[in-house]
Amino acid sequence: MEAHGGGLRRILVLAFCVAGIWSAYIYQGVLQENVSTKRFNGERFEHLAFLNLAQNVVCLIWSFIMIKMWASGNSGGAPWWSYWSAGITNTIGPAMGIEALKYISYPAQVLAKSSKMIPVMLMGTLVYGIRYTFPEYLCTFLVAGGVSTFALLKTSSKTISKLAHPNAPLGYGLCFLNLAFDGFTNATQDSLKARYPKTSAWDIMLGMNLWGTIYNMIYMFGWPHASGFEAVRFCQHHPEAAWDIFLYCCCGAVGQNFIFLTISRFGSLANTTITTTRKFVSIVVSSLLSGNPLSTKQWGCVSMVFSGLSYQIYLKWQKLQRLQKKRKAM
């Protein structure tokens, strides 16, 4: 009975994590699309990089509160200044990703940013001479084929009319640059985690958002006519936009909480599965709620991409099972 109760509690916690990640990031996606495409009294919010600054500030405050509430004394984690280089790429990368929404639709952006494995495998093969298995290449082929075909198919006139400056090559280019910068950010974070094993998720969140706030503040308010002043003025004249931006930031902070909880309780594979399925649901929600109709061929491309991602998750699960068996045998 006790084991059954423990299993039930674990299922309930997992369901709680899924609901938290899905609700936070799906709603954040709706808000992001709303801010980037909606006309507030006939005006567009053009300063999308301001979203990243606002997100940095909210997450910085949130992580500081969490550390003060839960950390016991000196954690022995990575010092705050060690995040400066990762902070640069973590500032530029997301800025490019969100800027892409001026040129391509939200479903296209989500799909392009789901192809993170492509630059990873390209760099691994060309630079480091890593050899991958046939199933891994098959996953990459499905994702790359789905994204590229989706990009080549004609976008509906209704979707194009909502974009500030329709330009598919530029939009997809920004998304792939975002992925490249994210790769460097993740590698730097892993390096810091290896050098300072006691570094917590909250420490990383604090360090990254501290430097992100500094860099974005310089970029947006560093000179008299910088775009940050225009963004603030826009929010003052359009409180509805300011409210959407605030909710967008809160969703990001809450979503990070659930991601940390999922990884600590169930591991990174479970988190990858939840976040991958969330992206698919985000595309469905965008298509239904935000008026971004997809053709049958485009839905086929979406299915192709997520089939590749699902197969990749299955391969990771198989690898994890083999490692667990080896450990038991030892």
Side-chain angles (χ1 to χ4, degrees), residues 230-298:
E230 284 297 322
V232 171
R233 274 195 288 271
F234 188 96
C235 291
Q236 288 173 336
H237 292 145
H238 305 284
E240 186 185 350
W243 181 245
D244 281 351
I245 292 170
F246 175 71
L247 290 177
Y248 169 86
C249 298
C250 290
C251 285
V254 171
Q256 284 291 325
N257 268 358
F258 282 104
I259 283 176
F260 294 158
L261 177 61
T262 303
I263 292 172
S264 65
R265 293 293 186 93
F266 304 101
S268 59
L269 184 60
N271 179 63
T272 302
T273 306
I274 295 168
T275 53
T276 299
T277 50
R278 188 276 303 171
K279 289 175 183 176
F280 183 82
V281 176
S282 290
I283 292 175
V284 175
V285 169
S286 175
S287 180
L288 297 176
L289 294 185
S290 302
N292 287 318
L294 300 181
S295 66
T296 305
K297 289 180 180 178
Q298 285 177 317

Side-chain angles (χ1 to χ4, degrees), residues 32-289:
Q32 185 184 56
E33 187 172 7
N34 194 41
V35 171
S36 63
T37 61
K38 185 178 177 180
R39 293 182 183 274
F40 299 90
N41 296 329
E43 289 186 86
R44 284 184 184 272
F45 184 74
E46 293 279 355
H47 313 287
L48 296 182
F50 186 75
L51 288 176
N52 289 327
L53 172 59
Q55 177 87 86
N56 286 145
V57 172
V58 170
C59 288
L60 175 64
I61 295 168
W62 185 269
S63 56
F64 180 78
I65 293 170
M66 291 296 105
I67 288 172
K68 289 298 179 184
M69 284 178 62
W70 302 109
S72 53
N74 184 17
S75 66
W80 65 271
W81 50 263
S82 60
Y83 296 93
W84 72 269
S85 59
I88 294 173
T89 52
N90 195 49
T91 299
I92 298 171
M96 288 181 167
I98 204 165
E99 196 72 14
L101 288 173
K102 290 182 180 180
Y103 310 107
I104 57 175
S105 68
Y106 180 73
Q109 185 226 38
V110 172
L111 211 59
K113 289 176 69 175
S114 298
S115 57
K116 189 177 286 188
M117 68 173 76
I118 298 172
V120 170
M121 288 185 71
L122 276 174
M123 288 292 287
T125 303
L126 299 175
V127 179
Y128 300 106
I130 299 172
R131 291 188 177 183
Y132 296 95
T133 63
F134 175 76
E136 288 173 323
Y137 281 118
L138 179 60
C139 291
T140 306
F141 172 77
L142 287 169
V143 173
V147 171
S148 55
T149 307
F150 187 97
L152 292 171
L153 291 172
K154 186 179 179 182
T155 306
S156 72
S157 56
K158 186 178 179 182
T159 300
I160 291 174
S161 67
K162 294 171 67 178
L163 301 176
H165 311 287
N167 187 329
L170 179 56
Y172 283 106
L174 287 170
C175 286
F176 290 124
L177 282 172
N178 180 10
L179 292 179
F181 279 108
D182 281 353
F184 180 85
T185 302
N186 294 337
T188 307
Q189 287 178 347
D190 290 343
S191 174
L192 287 171
K193 187 80 175 170
R195 275 189 286 161
Y196 304 96
K198 292 184 179 179
T199 301
S200 69
W202 297 120
D203 292 328
I204 293 173
M205 190 175 178
L206 180 73
M208 296 297 291
N209 284 290
L210 172 63
W211 285 103
T213 300
I214 293 169
Y215 295 141
N216 275 310
M217 285 291 287
I218 294 170
Y219 170 67
M220 303 217 71
F221 297 98
W223 52 91
H225 301 290
S227 59
F229 298 107
E230 284 297 322
V232 171
R233 274 195 288 271
F234 188 96
C235 291
Q236 288 173 336
H237 292 145
H238 305 284
E240 186 185 350
W243 181 245
D244 281 351
I245 292 170
F246 175 71
L247 290 177
Y248 169 86
C249 298
C250 290
C251 285
V254 171
Q256 284 291 325
N257 268 358
F258 282 104
I259 283 176
F260 294 158
L261 177 61
T262 303
I263 292 172
S264 65
R265 293 293 186 93
F266 304 101
S268 59
L269 184 60
N271 179 63
T272 302
T273 306
I274 295 168
T275 53
T276 299
T277 50
R278 188 276 303 171
K279 289 175 183 176
F280 183 82
V281 176
S282 290
I283 292 175
V284 175
V285 169
S286 175
S287 180
L288 297 176
L289 294 185

